[in-house]
Amino acid sequence: MTKALAAVLEAPKNFQFREFNIPEVAEDDAVLRVEACGLCGTDYDQWLGHLKDWGGGMPIIPGHEVMGFIERIGPKASKLWNVKEGDRVAIEPIIPCGHCEDCVRGAYTRCHADLGYGLYQNTKVAPSLWGGYATHTYLHPRTMVHKLPSSIPTDLMTLVNPLSNAIRWVYEIGKVGMGSTVVIEGPGQRGLLAVATAKKAGAANIIVTGTGADTGRLALAANLGATATINVDEENPVQRVIKLTDGQLADVVLDVSSGTMAPVLQAIDMVKRGGRVVLAGLKGQNKLNGLPIDKLVLSEIELVGVLSAGWQSTEMAINMIREEGAALQALCSHSFALAQVTDAVRTLGREIVDGHDAVHVTLTPS
Ligand SMILES: [Zn+2]
Ligand SMILES: [Zn+2]
């Protein structure tokens, strides 16, 4: 095949299928044959047009949770990345520049260049194939490439990106460890993977909040190791956390809910002095009124925003899927062919409800 097929987001809620030339590889880059691409809340926000002031704009090929097989690779890239043609790999969403202040400090996921997959360069930037909603993706010379085991089913393996996020947010940034009490607000894909991560890290209490629409997801959370679940439509989550912890409150609260602000304010009331509130849910560009600054100051509460994962958390995610992936299979709820891309995004956004709760949604080219 000399052409790649891609779903291009031309305007909000408007996908068009287009063909692109598959680029020749140079000595330091490669082309990936996409096996699958995972979707997350960011994909839904992007489709709605909420990211128009951020990232590469439109027309763009979305898909930042990309995995597949190395189709062609230049000799220098092969040596540097330690992969060869035919190898199964996952790529990190961000392409670090290697030279900005954050890159040289090792915090390359905050790279100032804003280069990456699915969200950054639009199709006008050569060679156009910058996203996973396609049969092929171009691999830039500075792509962060992780070799994957060959034996793990496709849908389970695509959890590597969201699981790497959960590991960074809960374990690396949240510092959840043995005996910790953690509250996870929002039982979506990332919230549920955060439960599995907190359990693996040794948390003693894992409390998960959700709404009345989340009954199935809260049950999944309990199966993955949550010690308590709270339906916020029926009870006050702050009061319940006070009760569950004998007034000790949480060491860490992770907000992975999207759109709504109440969980942020509740998180500040659920966390103990010196505790940490980790914010990972996008709020549709809304601003928050009523932030109790004095309480944050007086109780030395840390409020931290997180976006992405990194090399170490990605490798940890690959190991966790290899060793205990079976427990995570229940999260893989939907898989769509590329031709059904709009259904995939709408299912993720709960616009299409088929009786089977959408948790982890994947797109495959064939
Ligand atoms: Zn994502
Ligand atoms: Zn950089």
Side-chain angles (χ1 to χ4, degrees), residues 15-324:
F15 277 115
Q16 299 292 332
F17 291 94
R18 283 173 57 192
E19 282 191 340
F20 295 91
N21 289 324
I22 296 174
E24 295 293 325
V25 297
E27 63 170 9
D28 59 353
D29 61 5
V31 169
L32 184 82
R33 176 165 54 83
V34 177
E35 178 186 358
C37 183
L39 275 66
C40 74
T42 308
D43 291 77
Y44 183 62
D45 277 323
Q46 184 179 24
W47 179 74
L48 291 173
H50 287 172
L51 304 182
K52 60 184 184 303
D53 297 329
W54 180 81
M58 298 174 196
I60 193 166
I61 304 171
H64 56 277
E65 303 181 4
V66 195
M67 55 173 274
F69 300 93
I70 299 284
E71 175 106 330
R72 290 273 157 72
I73 188 164
K76 200 171 153 191
S78 180
K79 196 168 173 223
L80 272 175
W81 304 349
N82 192 27
V83 294
K84 57 187 187 314
E85 283 171 13
D87 279 357
R88 191 189 203 193
V89 299
I91 61 174
E92 291 187 35
I94 288 164
I95 302 171
C97 77
H99 294 279
C100 72
E101 186 180 354
D102 278 305
C103 277
V104 297
R105 284 179 173 170
Y108 68 87
T109 59
R110 294 200 290 264
C111 176
H112 299 212
D114 286 336
L115 277 176
Y117 294 98
L119 297 159
Y120 303 92
Q121 303 81 261
N122 62 42
T123 56
K124 290 170 193 156
V125 179
S128 302
L129 296 167
W130 296 107
Y133 291 14
T135 55
H136 297 78
T137 302
Y138 170 67
L139 301 187
H140 183 281
R142 292 193 303 273
T143 302
M144 306 299 276
V145 178
H146 296 263
K147 214 187 275 190
L148 298 175
S150 56
S151 55
I152 292 166
T154 301
D155 53 357
L156 189 57
M157 200 66 251
T158 56
L159 285 172
V160 63
N161 175 281
L163 182 58
S164 69
N165 287 335
I167 291 170
R168 177 150 182 266
W169 303 345
V170 168
Y171 179 72
E172 293 183 354
I173 306 269
K175 300 185 175 63
V176 168
M178 282 174 68
S180 295
T181 292
V182 55
V183 178
I184 295 158
E185 298 176 296
Q189 157 184 256
R190 279 172 168 70
L192 292 169
L193 290 167
V195 172
T197 302
K199 188 180 179 210
K200 187 168 177 69
N205 301 299
I206 305 169
I207 302 163
V208 182
T209 70
T211 66
D214 292 323
T215 313
R217 294 174 174 197
L218 291 174
L220 276 175
N223 287 341
L224 289 168
T227 51
T229 60
I230 304 173
N231 175 350
V232 300
D233 291 340
E234 283 177 358
E235 52 188 333
N236 180 316
V238 176
Q239 293 306 321
R240 181 80 194 284
V241 168
I242 291 169
K243 213 167 167 188
L244 285 166
T245 61
D246 273 337
Q248 298 297 301
L249 304 177
D251 298 288
V252 181
V253 182
L254 172 69
D255 176 26
V256 273
S257 68
S258 60
T260 163
M261 287 300 180
V264 179
L265 293 172
Q266 286 159 357
I268 293 164
D269 287 333
M270 286 172 180
V271 76
K272 61 175 67 168
R273 292 184 187 193
R276 201 166 289 114
V277 175
V278 180
L279 302 176
L282 289 173
K283 306 297 185 187
Q285 300 193 0
N286 293 318
K287 308 237 177 353
L288 174 62
N289 284 321
L291 192 68
I293 301 296
D294 287 359
K295 180 169 185 178
L296 295 176
V297 172
L298 295 169
S299 299
E300 297 198 332
I301 292 166
E302 207 177 306
L303 202 58
V304 54
V306 291
L307 173 67
S308 165
W311 183 267
Q312 193 189 358
S313 49
T314 304
E315 287 294 314
M316 289 165 99
I318 293 167
N319 278 329
M320 199 166 147
I321 291 170
R322 185 194 280 123
E323 286 163 18
E324 47 209 282

